[in-house]
Amino acid sequence: MKSFVNRYRRIIVVGLHLALIVSAYLAAFYLRFEFAIPREYFITTIPKTLPLLVLIKILFFYFFGVYSGLWRYVSVGDLWKIFLGNILSSVTFFVAVVFYHGLLGFPRSIIIIDFVLCFGFVSGVRFFTRLVMERGKIDLVQKKKKVLIRSQNTDTIRG
C-alpha cells in the first residue's frame, strides 16, 4: 500500500484537491442559501461554472507549487502558497464568471465563501496530516522506557 501511495502520490493529491475544490464550491452554495439551494442553480449556474472553477484552481495550485513537497513537512510557506493560489484563482474565476456567465443570477458572495472554505479545506487537510504524523512520533517517544545502566566496576572512571 505504501509503495502504491508513493508511486501515485501526485495523482492522489490532485484527486483529493479536486474533491476539496468541488466540496468547497457546493458548500458555498449551501451556506449562501441556508441549506436550501434554489433548483435553477443546480440546473444552470453550478453545471456551467463548476468545471471552470476546477480548471482555474488546479492550474493556479500547480503554478504556485501546491502539489510539490510532502505533507508531513508542511510549513507556513506551504500555507502561503495555498493562500496565493487560492486568492488569485478566486479573482480569476470571478472575472471569468463576469465574462462567461454574467453577474446577473450569480451570487457574488459565493466567490468569498468558496475562497474561505477552499483555503480551509486544502490547508486543513495538510496540517491535519502533519498533526497525525507528529502525534505518531510523540506516542512512540513516550512509550519508550528510560533505563539507567550502572556499571558493576565503580573503581574505573570512563570518559
Side-chain angles (χ1 to χ4, degrees):
M1 180 67 175
K2 193 173 187 177
S3 65
F4 175 80
V5 171
N6 287 336
R7 183 178 298 152
Y8 298 107
R9 185 181 71 80
R10 192 166 301 223
I11 293 169
I12 293 168
V13 168
V14 172
L16 180 61
H17 280 167
L18 284 172
L20 294 173
I21 290 167
V22 170
S23 298
Y25 192 60
L26 294 176
F29 275 94
Y30 276 108
L31 290 173
R32 164 61 177 85
F33 292 108
E34 298 175 0
F35 298 97
I37 302 173
R39 190 171 192 271
E40 63 267 11
Y41 285 100
F42 275 118
I43 295 171
T44 59
T45 305
I46 293 174
K48 285 170 79 175
T49 57
L50 182 61
L52 182 64
L53 175 78
V54 168
L55 178 67
I56 290 170
K57 289 217 180 210
I58 292 293
L59 288 175
F60 271 93
F61 284 174
Y62 178 78
F63 177 75
F64 279 98
V66 173
Y67 300 123
S68 63
L70 296 173
W71 287 10
R72 71 181 85 162
Y73 304 117
V74 70
S75 66
V76 175
D78 294 318
L79 191 65
W80 183 245
K81 289 178 189 178
I82 294 168
F83 177 79
L84 287 176
N86 202 14
I87 191 110
L88 291 176
S89 64
S90 292
V91 169
T92 304
F93 176 67
F94 177 73
V95 171
V97 165
V98 168
F99 287 111
Y100 178 66
H101 183 273
L103 284 180
L104 188 61
F106 187 85
R108 290 168 296 283
S109 60
I110 294 295
I111 304 287
I112 296 167
I113 298 169
D114 171 68
F115 163 74
V116 171
L117 291 176
C118 187
F119 177 73
F121 289 174
V122 173
S123 59
V125 165
R126 287 178 180 240
F127 278 100
F128 180 75
T129 303
R130 180 174 177 175
L131 178 71
V132 167
M133 295 299 233
E134 286 184 6
R135 176 84 175 143
K137 289 178 185 175
I138 291 169
D139 285 345
L140 290 176
V141 171
Q142 290 176 351
K143 290 180 183 177
K144 291 181 181 178
K145 287 186 177 181
K146 295 185 179 186
V147 178
L148 177 65
I149 300 175
R150 185 173 165 216
S151 173
Q152 293 280 340
N153 188 356
T154 57
D155 296 339
T156 308
I157 299 176
R158 296 184 186 189

